[in-house]
Amino acid sequence: MVNHTPFIVGAYIVALVGFGGLAIASLVARRRIRRELSARGLERR
Amino acid sequence: MASLHVLANPARFRRFSQRVLPALSVATALALAVGLWLALVESPPDYQQGETVRIMFLHVPSAWLSMMGYALLAALGASLLVWRHPLAALMARAAAPVGAVFAAVCLLTGALWGRPMWGTYWVWDARLTSMLLLFFLYLGHIALSRAYDDSERGDRAAAILALVGVINLPVIKFSVDWWNTLHQPASVMKLGGPSIDPSILTPLLVMALALLLLFVVLVLLRTETEIDRRRLEAAEMAL
């Protein structure tokens, strides 16, 4: 009997890394751009 | 349709996005929590796939959303080339990496399901190969849109690729009907309704809703960033 747990856990880790990584990268990029805009006095609410 | 044209103004879109993003983010977190609970705890093992059916709750929605994302890219491409909507190029730049990640998750989770079920991570069958092509089309779109110093030229080239590549979407959808594939035929989006037991269908649909919300949140967030980035570039050029 093959143990399927590593494949199931692996799939959820792939999703966590993919979606979580993209969400973090998106937030970091937004923060960086806003900081640069702010440094030039161009921030917009 | 008129309201969509109104939102094509980047500043107006940004204000709209800032209003809806907090509520959408909360809804995404709630839907993900419920979806994961149903997928990992409540749903029973499948009578054929056993526990590996839990991989389907990620794999299938990722496949749907990567195809939906490419259809969005094609619509934005047409909008850019035909109406020259300024927001279309920015949203396409924002959406392409999101679609690429959904396609990658679909391919990788499919491979992790295939190994215990089919005895192999990968076969060159029509469904898997056309899905891999979709992932490469996303990468091509990202590369092309950033390949020119003049960002407008890059956006137009990427828009043309998005429109040409949209032919791959019906190939992915109908590949399991047109060719003899190892991949199983459609069991949710098909004539006559879904052929899945409600105990499996419910978590699948809740996870699909959660990932759809995540897709929308990520695209809105990244579009806001692209609008700000274009503003910053314009300010730097003016100096």
Side-chain angles (χ1 to χ4, degrees):
Chain A
M1 184 70 184
V2 181
N3 179 14
H4 295 164
T5 308
F7 298 103
I8 299 166
V9 172
Y12 280 81
I13 288 174
V14 162
L16 179 68
V17 170
F19 298 140
L22 184 65
I24 290 168
S26 304
L27 287 168
V28 167
R30 183 169 79 155
R31 180 175 287 188
R32 187 170 53 79
I33 291 289
R34 284 190 172 177
R35 207 168 38 231
E36 288 182 38
L37 279 173
S38 175
R40 287 166 175 73
L42 295 167
E43 74 270 25
R44 185 162 53 182
R45 289 285 109 207
Chain B
M1 192 67 187
S3 60
L4 285 179
H5 283 283
V6 167
L7 285 177
N9 175 300
R12 211 171 288 142
F13 176 88
R14 197 175 176 283
R15 283 196 296 275
F16 163 78
S17 172
Q18 282 184 324
R19 269 203 308 273
V20 299
L21 255 180
L24 273 179
S25 303
V26 172
T28 304
L30 286 175
L32 270 176
V34 174
L36 287 171
W37 170 260
L38 291 173
L40 294 173
V41 181
E42 281 293 316
S43 72
D46 181 70
Y47 80 106
Q48 280 183 320
Q49 303 172 48
E51 296 289 346
T52 53
V53 72
R54 301 186 197 286
I55 299 175
M56 290 295 107
F57 302 135
L58 289 172
H59 172 74
V60 175
S62 300
W64 290 342
L65 287 163
S66 59
M67 292 170 69
M68 187 204 76
Y70 201 85
L72 172 69
L73 275 194
L76 291 169
S79 179
L80 177 68
L81 295 172
V82 177
W83 294 294
R84 295 180 176 270
H85 276 169
L87 184 68
L90 300 173
M91 190 179 264
R93 279 174 177 256
V98 180
V101 168
F102 274 82
V105 168
C106 169
L107 289 166
L108 291 170
T109 54
L112 287 165
W113 180 89
R115 184 69 184 88
M117 290 294 104
W118 294 341
T120 179
Y121 287 106
W122 183 263
V123 284
W124 291 101
D125 96 349
R127 172 58 72 83
L128 276 70
T129 307
S130 53
M131 197 65 211
L132 181 64
L133 180 60
L134 182 72
F135 176 64
F136 288 143
L137 282 167
Y138 272 121
L139 294 188
H141 190 283
I142 294 166
L144 257 184
S145 65
R146 289 154 177 78
Y148 295 87
D149 289 334
D150 177 2
S151 58
E152 280 187 25
R153 284 184 68 191
D155 290 333
R156 279 200 299 274
I160 291 167
L161 176 68
L163 286 172
V164 172
V166 84
I167 192 70
N168 190 40
L169 295 184
V171 174
I172 296 172
K173 168 70 183 154
F174 296 110
S175 55
V176 287
D177 303 320
W178 293 342
W179 294 287
N180 187 17
T181 61
L182 187 57
H183 196 285
Q184 60 270 44
S187 45
V188 179
M189 292 183 184
K190 61 172 198 159
L191 290 174
S195 55
I196 302 179
D197 189 81
S199 63
I200 303 286
L201 185 61
T202 305
L204 181 66
L205 294 180
V206 175
M207 280 300 287
L209 173 68
L211 292 179
L212 170 65
L213 287 169
L214 179 67
F215 189 99
V216 172
V217 164
L218 287 171
V219 170
L220 289 180
L221 186 70
R222 296 176 65 88
T223 304
E224 270 186 29
T225 306
E226 288 299 329
I227 291 169
D228 285 343
R229 193 193 310 278
R230 200 54 68 88
R231 193 155 169 259
L232 188 65
E233 285 169 2
E236 282 173 353
M237 283 174 71
L239 290 176

